[in-house]
Amino acid sequence: MDFSALINSISTIACVLSVERLPDDKIGDLRIVAANKAYKDSMPPNYYDGMLYTELFPKERKFEHFVASSCLKRKQIHTYVEAKAIGKWMEQVYIPLESDRDDIGYCIFSYELTENADPERMGNISHDTATSVIKSCAVFRTAENFHTAASEVVQELFEKCEADRVRVVSVDELTQGLKYIAGKAKNGFDDQDQGVEKIPPEVVKTWNKTIEQTNCLIITDEADMKNLEDRNPEWAKSLQEAGVKSICFVPLFQNNNIIGYLYVTNFDTSRTIEIKELLEHTSFFLAAELANNNLMEKMRELSNLDTLTGVFNRNAMNIRVDEFVSKAELRLRPYGVIFIDLNGLKFINDKYGHEAGDQMLWSAASIISEIFGDDEIYRAGGDEFTIICTKLSEDVFLDKVRRLREKTAYPAELTMSIGYHYSGSGDDIRIAMRNADLAMYKDKEEFYKEHPELRVRKI
């Protein structure tokens, strides 16, 4: 075949590529056999027909997979990808050509660049992918909550990809640690407890660096795994130890920042292009939903946290008490309630200013958290804290109260009036809170009776 005549008949940027077929479905050299003027004009001066593509570009396994699928498996491929290395988007077309040799296949490769993502080009996908993506979008509009919807979308992907596992994880903006969102595995459940949230942030950061020049990671064979091993040996080792033979790993972006990952493992590699298209297009709206959920969670957290001390606020306490009352949760097990009032906060505010008073509140929260860190701590008011303990025996509860008293007893720099109530049978929490409150005020009266000079002079 006269490849030069063929490719010069095409007006858009195009070339003819060839790839060697090696034993065991492996591929050998990938060459640029011939190119038209538009392609040559876009290349460096050292271009010549028949050159290895790696003489012009860094080795790219995903590109090689597309070329091999078109040249050797006779697949016509259309894709629109972000070419991060050049900061543009690239619409690519691969068209298989006839070959008179069994050991070499050929295809036409044509591309067009756009400065930014073009929604119209992105929407040019297969009917099956479009149907699945639209269905998943509808799930998020009708599900009760984000996590329910994410689980349903994962189920849809699991059925479509016929993989061993599908999983969605989010990345914490500050710590870069992972948080499990949803998953599905071939054995019927996703064993999320086996380490996904235990992966060190330092390792997670390397994932982004490894795929920063592309829009996803694809491994379909040993050669792909070896390529990853050369670039990120720790990641490759963890995949191999988990029994991963193939993976399509897609980042979830918000404003060019990775906020999560969507990936499938051990799928039918003959459907790689189809699965890549499905995951990438699902990732667009999944990333938007994840970003929205992150924002909502942050808003809920802020509405329930005291920003000064970092403990829960009165709003969170009221919600929690209402839950216990409506569900009668505390009536089914022992629990303890502690009321705390700081001695002398008003004096500190009046004499040294509110900044000193804020420091006193922060210090108080730190002392309480040091002893009751595993329990529920609330700042109930200006100088008042409440602790609800639902996991402690009476002996442990009383020992913690004793330790708090000792740490904040006069002449400590910071003193507290403390009242508590422990119910071994699980009474109405409102009664327990009232009893603890009365005990706290009694303790405060005793404190100032013993130290009347401290009412106006110091803590």
Side-chain angles (χ1 to χ4, degrees), residues 372 392-405 420-422:
F372 290 93
L392 305 180
S393 67
E394 185 171 8
D395 288 344
V396 174
F397 174 80
L398 293 176
D399 182 63
K400 284 192 172 189
V401 173
R402 177 190 58 78
R403 288 163 54 197
L404 183 61
R405 284 192 185 280
Y420 63 89
H421 177 89
Y422 189 87

Side-chain angles (χ1 to χ4, degrees), residues 72 90-91 155 180 209 212 276 308 348 410 443 456:
L72 304 178
M90 179 181 288
E91 184 171 25
Q155 177 67 35
Y180 177 87
K209 187 172 179 61
E212 63 184 356
K276 172 183 177 291
L308 173 62
I348 292 294
Y410 184 80
D443 189 57
V456 294

Side-chain angles (χ1 to χ4, degrees), residues 315-387:
N315 178 60
M317 184 180 75
N318 291 338
I319 292 173
R320 189 70 166 130
V321 170
D322 287 344
E323 283 183 357
F324 287 152
V325 171
S326 63
K327 298 176 182 177
E329 181 178 340
L330 289 181
R331 297 180 185 178
L332 303 178
R333 58 183 176 181
Y335 69 92
V337 174
I338 304 167
F339 270 44
I340 298 168
D341 190 280
L342 306 188
N343 297 324
L345 179 62
K346 184 178 186 305
F347 172 79
I348 292 294
N349 281 332
D350 292 344
K351 186 169 183 177
Y352 301 107
H354 286 279
E355 186 173 335
D358 288 348
Q359 178 62 40
M360 181 179 178
L361 285 165
W362 184 87
S363 298
S366 297
I367 292 171
I368 296 169
S369 298
E370 183 181 325
I371 298 173
F372 290 93
D374 294 330
D375 301 295
E376 301 172 30
I377 306 170
Y378 304 88
R379 184 183 173 197
D383 58 358
E384 298 174 350
F385 291 85
T386 299
I387 310 171

Side-chain angles (χ1 to χ4, degrees), residues 78-81 89-93 111-126 277 281 284:
H78 169 267
T79 186
Y80 185 57
V81 298
W89 283 75
M90 179 181 288
E91 184 171 25
Q92 302 174 342
V93 176
Y111 71 87
E112 185 175 351
L113 297 175
T114 60
E115 292 294 332
N116 300 301
D118 183 344
E120 185 172 339
R121 296 174 194 249
M122 294 175 77
N124 188 7
I125 56 179
S126 69
E277 180 184 69
H281 283 79
F284 296 145

